[in-house]
């Protein structure tokens, strides 16, 4: 007896036909996970990993339970990619082996030259995504290779690995472990498959049990990835230049693993004599290289052990997904998990009940298998009741005697599920092979004439049921012998469910977690199992340095003020343009730009003398020699006349809509692209036409002439009080005329908002500045351009309100460090924002109790700071330029300081965090480090998307439209009639099912079923009366009555005049009726055959709105095309950030 077992008694039971009691390893794992500590999301993810079976190769279909943001954030957590690092890998050169992101092959020249010792596979890079390569954490990965028993056979082939790959009698074993750090740094927030790979190998340790001569190995490591199932080497980065600069080191003085492809050479040189007996150090950079006897490890130093791929290295998209490689589970695994959870909580249910609960929760269509009706008839015709919607009614109509046995069959189904190991099929062949099932004995069904016909079928058991997986209604006849027994292999098995069918019987990880969290029975049961009296885990405080940008909404007020005031003034100066001498004839200020509006307005502006005083009505005039002389002499009476102009103002001239994509350069959305967009968003268009002047003074009276007037238009930045050195435009000179007519054609000028323009330093002008720019070094020109671009995209200024959270006790006092609020690794981002508000309140209370000249100011800074749901919590992500400098250890120069400053001020260097996720669910940002991680909090706006591309991608992923709200120009959500058909084509019944409906011919729609039944066509065509559209105004349905066309075209004009849609409906119907009466009286109505002439159908509000919506979309599309054409035409125009800017 072992552990209370009695083998003799067990054998006696087995001989009597009893089943041996066993439990699977998966069931043990499920039970352990259910009873363990951890959050509900962590348990759900771990349970899924047990039964996940294959990789999802195509787009996941729809599920009746929408995937929640919390479930999506749990699956995005990189906790599963490292699970495979200690699991036995596949054999090399197999299909499974080529389905991995990276393969590390360990080789040695001992015992044979170029011996392949083993391999390490990394399935996905999603769990290794990070942005600080110097912070990558090392991990230990097992090396799997052939066992010692394969050595003898290897001596025949000369290659140790060839024997094991061709002979599976030698399973792979763990021969050692490799310690290394891996990090994948994507090149952009939306393109994860392109980036830079960093690998830092620290050492390899062989296990003596499998590699006895471990001290002779002197291994090297080869690295490759896979593209389309084929090996592909990883190109190695070489940032060096011939001569050293601030951005790169010199090839003459810097040595290491650069260029070629990633390959980790041997730590020592092999000796000439003996195999593995003698090794020598390399001549260059060999410190800390070689075999360390104390740890029995072959180690690499940082020079040769740290290697990076090129910055534009590309891997397959599936290799950078955050989810695990096995991310699909069959419904059978779901049923096992659900049954275990329910039984462990003492919810005693039958097997069938547990299966029905599991299918109703996790099946994507909510379809559960079940028996609807069962009758027993004395005939054996297999086609007698095929395709009938009701068996009992059909038998009654045919006059066939029958017995209703629905309850008896349902009870038998319950019994057979327990015998079948959880499978739902009824009368399975495997079960019947063990013994026949007797209706009188097992199901308590009495056969009308028992014994008639012997073993031949004499009666038929008809079963109407719903098939699990897709909800298909089916009918199946089961032949019953004269003895009342069901025989195997005669078509008796009733297929109650689909097995291993994509997508009907599969769920993805997102769907599994979302369904489990949203169901109270499973979620609460799973939560209670791990809530016993256990020791609480120690909370880990997180060190953070948080800057709250614009805490008191001053920047938002400034943005609103910019809309009301362009902060640019337009001055019109009239000069007597004599050769060699110019006399000032007067000036006039254009009204404030914000008062002009988009329509042209006419103005008559009286001319005045220049006023240089700071208290002048429009501010001081532009200083010039002649105008200043008149002002200093006080001779303002000489200024007479007025000027006639027309002007309009549109601000902003460019508006970016919510879903509009930014037009970018070929290299992607760079900071230059975003700077150009910000310039457009802060630019208005001034249209100015100068007509004429009247009553100008005679400046040339001494010459016997009137004057030769010319108008110059100047612009002044009211924020910086700075005039442009060149005029905006000039008119022609009209000779000898005191009332000239200029006929200056209207011209449009792009004028940047004064507040935005004041961010930039004034551009130097003149010939000296041009010569200076001509001889400017490329590095200086690049830095100047980068600074201008950084100023263009900067938001909320450069300062903010700083709050520091201590990871450990910090003895240094200061502003933002006195609140004593801690943030923990398990806190969600939503909880962090609440703690941030609390920290500001406590910080303000601290400074109110302090004495000193600065205490009141500090208290005011931290008072009334509220962080709400509109605020974004973001973490700093190093720019590619900064990462390049860090990788080369160039962190102490001026170039690094400038790059770091630019990255901090670039909004796209800040990654938004999901409020539903915790800090622990962001391992790529290393919140568990001792030093403080930098964070920034801003209030999210629509305009902020054009500045921060990471927020733009984040908002797009968080605001996914549910399939129930689908309404696009191609399709919309709706309901369509689905026909349940038998194999012979007979229709059992009709059912309304959800579908995506698209445009078809004039009498039908194209229908895509959301939950497509197995074997059905992916897309079908149905008549319009068989389809119900969910939206009132489907965008794809552009069909209108031809008689409505001319009237609907007037709807836009009526709406712009202030009419409501209901008023428009009444007006258009009245116009339609009047036209119909006119045509009827004139006899011009077209008659279709002998049918009676009827009025056209009424125009409804829905018709009007649908027509206007389509018209607006077409107009917007045409406008975008026109804008793109103009951009191509004016591609060479001057911009704010160019060399010839108009500062």
């Amino acid at each position: 007896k072992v552990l209370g077992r009695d083998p003799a008694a067990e054998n006696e039971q087995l001989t009597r036909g009893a089943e041996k009691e066993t439990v699977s390893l998966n069931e043990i794992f499920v039970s352990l996970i259910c009873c363990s500590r951890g959050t509900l999301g962590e348990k759900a993810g771990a349970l899924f990993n047990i039964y996940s079976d294959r990789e999802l190769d195509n787009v996941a279909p729809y599920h009746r339970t929408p995937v929640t943001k919390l479930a999506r954030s749990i699956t995005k957590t990189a906790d599963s990619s490292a699970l495979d690092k200690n699991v036995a890998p596949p054999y090399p050169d197999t299909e499974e082996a080529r389905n991995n992101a990276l393969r590390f092959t360990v080789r040695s020249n001992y015992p044979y030259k170029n011996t392949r010792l083993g391999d390490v596979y990394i399935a996905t890079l999603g769990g290794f995504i990070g942005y600080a390569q110097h912070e990558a954490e090392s991990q230990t990965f097992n090396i799997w290779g052939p066992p010692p028993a394969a050595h003898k056979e290897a001596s025949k082939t000369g290659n140790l690995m060839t024997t094991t790959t061709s002979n599976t009698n030698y399973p792979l074993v763990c021969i050692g472990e490799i310690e290394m750090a891996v990090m994948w740094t994507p090149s952009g927030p939306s393109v994860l498959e392109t980036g830079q790979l960093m690998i830092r190998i620290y050492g390899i340790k062989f296990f003596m049990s499998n590699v006895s001569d471990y001290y002779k190995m002197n291994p090297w490591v080869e690295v490759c990835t896979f593209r389309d199932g084929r090996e592909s080497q990883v190109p190695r980065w070489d940032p060096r230049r011939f001569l050293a600069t601030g951005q790169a080191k010199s090839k003459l003085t810097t040595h290491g693993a650069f260029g070629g492809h990633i390959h980790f050479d041997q730590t020592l040189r092999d000796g000439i004599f003996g195999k593995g007996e003698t090794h020598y150090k390399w001549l260059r950079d060999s410190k800390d290289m070689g075999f360390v006897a104390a740890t029995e490890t072959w180690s690499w130093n940082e020079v040769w052990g740290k290697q990076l791929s090129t910055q534009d290295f590309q891997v397959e998209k599936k290799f950078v997904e955050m989810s695990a490689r096995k991310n699909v589970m069959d419904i059978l695994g779901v049923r096992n998990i659900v049954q275990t959870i329910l039984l462990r909580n003492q919810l005693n249910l039958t097997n069938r009940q547990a299966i029905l609960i599991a299918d109703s929760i996790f099946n994507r269509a909510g379809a559960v298998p079940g028996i609807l009706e069962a009758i027993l008839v004395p005939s054996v015709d297999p086609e007698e009741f095929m395709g009938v919607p009701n068996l009992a009614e059909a038998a009654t109509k045919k006059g066939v005697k029958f017995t209703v046995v629905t309850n008896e069959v349902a009870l038998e189904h319950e019994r057979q599920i327990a015998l079948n190991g959880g499978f739902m099929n009824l009368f399975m062949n495997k079960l019947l092979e063990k013994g026949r099932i007797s209706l009188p004995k097992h199901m308590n069904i009495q056969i009308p004439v028992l014994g008639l016909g012997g073993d031949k079928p004499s009666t038929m058991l008809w079963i109407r049921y719903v098939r699990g997986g897709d909800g298909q209604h089916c009918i199946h006849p089961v032949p019953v012998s004269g003895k009342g027994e069901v025989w195997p292999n005669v078509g008796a098995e009733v297929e109650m469910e689909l097995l291993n069918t994509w997508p009907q019987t599969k769920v993805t990880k997102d769907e599994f977690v979302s369904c489990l969290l949203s169901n109270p029975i499973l979620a609460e049961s799973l939560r209670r199992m791990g809530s016993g009296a256990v020791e609480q885990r120690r909370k880990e405080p997180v060190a953070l340095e948080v800057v709250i940008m614009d805490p008191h909404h001053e920047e938002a007020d400034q943005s609103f003020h910019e809309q009301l005031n362009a902060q640019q003034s337009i001055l019109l100066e009239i000069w007597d343009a004599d050769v060699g001498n110019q006399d000032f004839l007067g000036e006039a200020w254009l009204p404030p730009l914000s008062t002009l509006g988009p329509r042209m307005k006419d103005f008559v502006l009286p001319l005045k003398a220049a006023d240089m005083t700071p208290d002048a009505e429009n501010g001081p005039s532009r200083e010039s020699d002649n105008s200043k002389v008149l002002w200093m002499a006080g001779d303002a009476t000489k200024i007479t006349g007025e000027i006639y102009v027309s002007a309009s103002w549109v601000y902003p001239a460019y508006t970016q809509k919510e879903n509009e994509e930014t037009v970018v350069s070929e290299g992607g959305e760079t900071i230059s692209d975003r700077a150009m967009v910000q310039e457009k968003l802060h630019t208005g268009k001034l249209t100015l036409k100068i007509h004429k002047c009247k009553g100008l003074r005679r400046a040339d009276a001494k010459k016997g002439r009137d004057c030769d007037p010319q108008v110059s238009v100047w612009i002044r930045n009211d924020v910086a009080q700075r005039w442009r050195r060149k005029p905006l435009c000039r008119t022609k000179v009209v000779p000898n005329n005191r009332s000239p007519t200029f006929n200056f054609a209207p011209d449009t000028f792009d004028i940047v908002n004064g507040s935005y323009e004041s961010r930039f330093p004034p551009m130097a002008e003149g010939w000296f500045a041009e010569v200076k720019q001509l001889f400017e070094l490329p590095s200086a020109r690049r830095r100047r351009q980068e600074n201008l671009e950084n100023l263009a995209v900067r938001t909320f200024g450069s300062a903010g309100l700083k709050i520091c959270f201590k990871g450990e006790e910090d003895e240094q006092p200061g502003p933002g460090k006195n609140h004593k609020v801690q943030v923990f690794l398990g806190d969600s981002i939503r909880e962090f924002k609440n703690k941030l508000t609390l920290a500001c309140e406590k910080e303000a209370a601290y400074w109110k109790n302090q004495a000193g000249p600065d205490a009141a100011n500090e208290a005011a800074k931290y008072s009334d700071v509220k962080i709400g749901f509109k605020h974004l919590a973001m973490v700093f992500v190093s720019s590619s330029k900064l990462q390049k400098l860090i990788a080369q250890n160039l962190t102490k120069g001026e170039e690094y300081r400038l790059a770091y400053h630019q990255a901090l001020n670039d909004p796209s260097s800040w990654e938004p965090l999901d409020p539903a996720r915790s800090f622990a669910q962001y391992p790529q940002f290393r919140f568990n480090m001792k030093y403080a991680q930098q964070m920034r909090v801003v209030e999210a706006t629509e305009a902020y998307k054009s500045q921060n591309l990471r927020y733009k991608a984040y908002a797009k992923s968080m605001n996914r439209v549910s399939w129930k709200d689908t309404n696009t120009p191609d399709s919309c959500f709706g309901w369509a009639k689905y026909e349940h058909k038998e194999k012979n084509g007979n229709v059992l019944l009709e059912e309304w099912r959800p579908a995506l409906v698209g445009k078809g011919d004039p009498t039908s729609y194209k229908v895509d079923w959301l939950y497509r039944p197995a074997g059905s066509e992916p897309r079908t065509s149905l008549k319009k009366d068989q389809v119900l559209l969910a939206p009132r105004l489907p965008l794809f349905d552009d069909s209108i009555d031809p008689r409505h066309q001319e009237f609907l075209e007037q709807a836009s004009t009526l709406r712009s005049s202030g009419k409501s849609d209901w008023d428009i409906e009444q007006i258009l119907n009245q116009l339609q009726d009047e036209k119909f009466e006119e045509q009827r009286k004139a006899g011009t109505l077209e008659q279709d055959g002998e049918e009676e002439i009827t009025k056209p159908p009424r125009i409804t509000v829905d018709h009007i709105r649908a027509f206007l919506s389509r018209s607006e979309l077409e107009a917007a599309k045409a406008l975008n095309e026109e804008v793109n054409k103009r951009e191509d035409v004016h591609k060479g125009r001057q911009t704010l950030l160019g060399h010839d800017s108009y500062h």
Side-chain angles (χ1 to χ4, degrees), residues 558-567 594 649 651-652 681 753:
Q558 175 66 24
S559 178
F560 178 72
H561 181 65
E562 289 180 3
Q563 297 289 333
L564 301 179
N565 187 2
Q567 302 182 39
S594 57
W649 171 251
Y651 183 85
L681 292 174
N753 184 277

Side-chain angles (χ1 to χ4, degrees), residues 545-652:
E545 185 177 301
V546 185
V547 177
I548 306 173
M549 309 305 295
D550 193 25
H552 300 289
H553 305 284
E554 297 173 356
E555 195 78 17
D557 296 340
Q558 175 66 24
S559 178
F560 178 72
H561 181 65
E562 289 180 3
Q563 297 289 333
L564 301 179
N565 187 2
Q567 302 182 39
Q568 297 273 24
S569 297
I570 306 298
L571 176 64
L572 291 84
E573 293 182 350
I574 298 89
W575 293 86
D576 178 25
D578 293 335
V579 178
N581 186 26
Q582 290 187 342
D583 294 326
F584 184 68
L585 301 179
E587 68 178 19
W589 292 87
L590 200 65
L593 296 179
S594 57
T595 64
L596 298 182
R599 296 184 179 180
M600 293 290 289
K601 294 182 180 180
D602 299 330
F603 297 95
V604 180
L605 306 174
L607 299 181
K608 299 180 180 179
D611 188 352
M612 306 298 177
T613 61
D615 298 331
E617 180 181 358
N618 296 293
S621 300
R622 188 182 70 90
E623 289 191 10
S624 61
D625 295 337
N626 293 337
S627 62
K628 192 172 182 179
V629 169
L630 292 176
W631 171 67
M632 295 180 64
D635 199 359
T637 57
K638 293 184 178 181
I639 304 299
T640 61
E642 59 267 344
I643 183 172
Y644 295 76
V645 298
S646 298
S648 67
W649 171 251
V650 178
Y651 183 85

Side-chain angles (χ1 to χ4, degrees), residues 393-460:
E393 291 181 1
T396 303
K397 290 180 180 180
K398 292 183 177 182
V400 178
K401 294 182 179 181
F402 65 93
T403 304
V404 178
V405 291
T406 305
N407 294 337
E408 290 82 354
V409 173
L411 291 175
E412 176 63 17
H413 188 209
E414 182 80 60
R415 187 181 74 89
Q416 291 189 21
I417 290 176
L419 298 176
N420 294 337
F423 288 97
M424 291 292 293
N425 285 2
L426 191 62
F427 303 119
M428 291 184 65
N429 291 327
K430 291 183 178 179
L431 182 63
L432 295 178
E433 289 173 357
K434 297 180 180 179
R436 300 176 184 179
I437 296 178
S438 172
L439 270 63
K441 179 181 178 181
H442 297 99
M443 303 174 62
N444 197 24
I445 298 176
Q446 301 301 323
I447 304 299
V449 186
L450 188 63
L452 182 63
D455 290 337
K456 296 181 179 181
S458 61
T459 57
M460 191 73 74

Side-chain angles (χ1 to χ4, degrees), residues 113-130:
K113 190 172 182 62
N114 198 25
T115 299
R116 187 173 184 173
L117 300 179
D119 297 278
V120 176
Y121 288 90
I122 292 181
T124 172
L125 296 175
F128 300 96
I129 292 179

Side-chain angles (χ1 to χ4, degrees), residues 694-870:
K694 282 188 178 181
L696 300 178
R697 71 183 182 91
R698 296 186 63 192
D700 295 338
K702 295 180 180 180
K703 302 179 183 179
R705 294 168 53 86
D706 289 337
C707 60
D708 305 321
Q710 183 186 35
V711 181
S712 298
V713 182
W714 298 86
I715 183 170
R716 181 189 67 192
N717 187 308
D718 296 338
V719 177
Q721 289 297 315
R722 186 170 66 225
W723 291 89
R724 292 190 187 175
R725 295 191 178 184
K726 295 181 180 180
L728 194 63
C729 63
R730 280 195 175 101
T731 66
K732 65 180 181 180
V733 178
V734 181
N736 196 25
N737 196 333
R738 293 181 59 194
S739 299
T741 298
F742 297 102
N743 290 328
F744 183 75
D747 200 359
T748 301
F749 307 95
D750 291 341
I751 298 179
V752 182
N753 184 277
S755 177
Y756 180 80
E757 188 183 49
S758 63
R759 298 182 185 182
F760 307 93
M763 294 286 291
E765 299 183 46
W767 65 270
F768 180 75
E770 294 178 358
V771 173
K772 185 177 179 181
Q773 288 184 4
L774 185 63
F775 289 96
E776 190 176 23
L777 294 176
S779 58
R781 187 183 299 111
R782 175 181 50 80
R783 290 182 184 177
R784 179 168 57 84
Q785 186 70 13
E786 288 176 349
N787 290 333
L788 290 175
E789 293 169 349
N790 200 264
L791 290 171
V793 300
R794 191 183 67 186
T795 310
F796 308 113
S798 58
L801 192 63
K802 182 179 290 188
I803 289 285
C804 296
F805 293 94
K806 306 172 185 178
E808 297 178 356
E809 287 299 324
D810 189 356
E811 301 297 337
Q812 298 180 355
K817 299 181 179 180
N818 308 287
H819 49 80
K820 297 183 179 180
V821 177
Q822 283 188 318
V823 176
F824 300 101
L825 199 61
D827 289 345
S828 66
I829 307 303
R830 186 178 291 108
E831 293 172 337
F832 159 71
K833 291 194 286 186
N834 294 334
K835 288 187 175 182
L836 188 57
T837 302
L838 179 62
C840 292
E841 294 176 357
K842 291 189 174 183
E843 190 73 19
Y846 170 83
W847 286 106
K848 288 179 181 178
N849 297 328
Q850 301 298 313
D854 299 331
N857 293 333
E858 294 294 335
K861 289 180 182 178
Y862 292 97
S863 299
D864 301 325
V865 177
K866 304 293 182 183
I867 307 300
F869 68 95
K870 292 185 178 180

